[in-house]
Amino acid sequence: MPRSPTLLIHALPMAALTPYPSLTPQFAIHGRHEMAWAGRVLCVKLWGSFNLEGVQSLIKGLLSQVETPPARWATCYDLEEWEGVTPDAVELFLVALGNALQIGWSAHAVVARSASKVHLFSLQIERFMQGRIPYAIFATQPEALTWLDQQLESP
């Protein structure tokens, strides 16, 4: 039976973060992540291809990390081992990003050396990011973290 991600997305209040942990996976989780803070930057490493349940797991992890975030904070996603994401998962992830804007998310960087990964990620998220927060793609994490720190220091 096909899933209806649109119904799932519309059932979630845009301003509320709490519905995400209550989402019940229907299928096995695909995609793996790890995250840790580096100052005011939440570093997220992704592996594999993400389905809806994998993104739900990622969102739960993000929520646990940003329960009491700094007033201004940023994210750095390492896509070196990331392989993609399903369309329904992209929709849910974009809702989560919109909610993150309401709790001080101020800049975003992506680490990816592969032009095809940069292109794939950009197709799925770049339109969302334009004009909302500073966003850039880097070849290395140290470059990304330096840029993010500069973004967080500027008014």
Side-chain angles (χ1 to χ4, degrees):
M1 176 167 94
R3 296 187 273 185
S4 178
T6 305
L7 291 176
L8 176 64
I9 299 302
H10 292 300
L12 298 174
M14 290 297 287
L17 292 174
T18 54
Y20 297 115
S22 66
L23 296 172
T24 305
Q26 296 177 10
F27 298 96
I29 292 173
H30 293 276
R32 189 169 66 87
H33 65 275
E34 288 181 1
M35 55 190 76
W37 286 96
R40 295 186 295 164
V41 177
L42 181 58
C43 298
V44 181
K45 171 87 173 155
L46 304 176
W47 288 270
S49 297
F50 282 74
N51 63 355
L52 182 65
E53 290 73 17
V55 167
Q56 288 171 346
S57 175
L58 173 63
I59 291 169
K60 286 179 188 179
L62 290 168
L63 288 171
S64 71
Q65 293 291 323
V66 297
E67 283 181 13
T68 55
R72 293 188 71 204
W73 56 282
T75 50
C76 180
Y77 278 73
D78 183 334
L79 302 182
E80 285 302 302
E81 304 297 325
W82 176 72
E83 297 172 0
V85 62
T86 60
D88 56 347
V90 170
E91 290 184 46
L92 180 61
F93 190 65
L94 292 179
V95 169
L97 293 181
N99 290 332
L101 291 169
Q102 298 174 28
I103 59 169
W105 185 40
S106 302
H108 180 67
V110 170
V111 176
R113 290 188 248 334
S114 163
S116 62
K117 285 184 185 178
V118 168
H119 180 70
L120 179 60
F121 187 80
S122 294
L123 283 175
Q124 297 172 9
I125 198 169
E126 199 166 86
R127 274 182 263 134
F128 172 85
M129 294 300 229
Q130 287 179 346
R132 294 179 189 229
I133 62 172
Y135 163 70
I137 299 171
F138 297 89
T140 68
Q141 189 176 34
E143 291 174 310
L145 292 175
T146 298
W147 180 80
L148 287 167
D149 285 339
Q150 291 170 351
Q151 300 306 306
L152 290 170
E153 293 303 317
S154 65

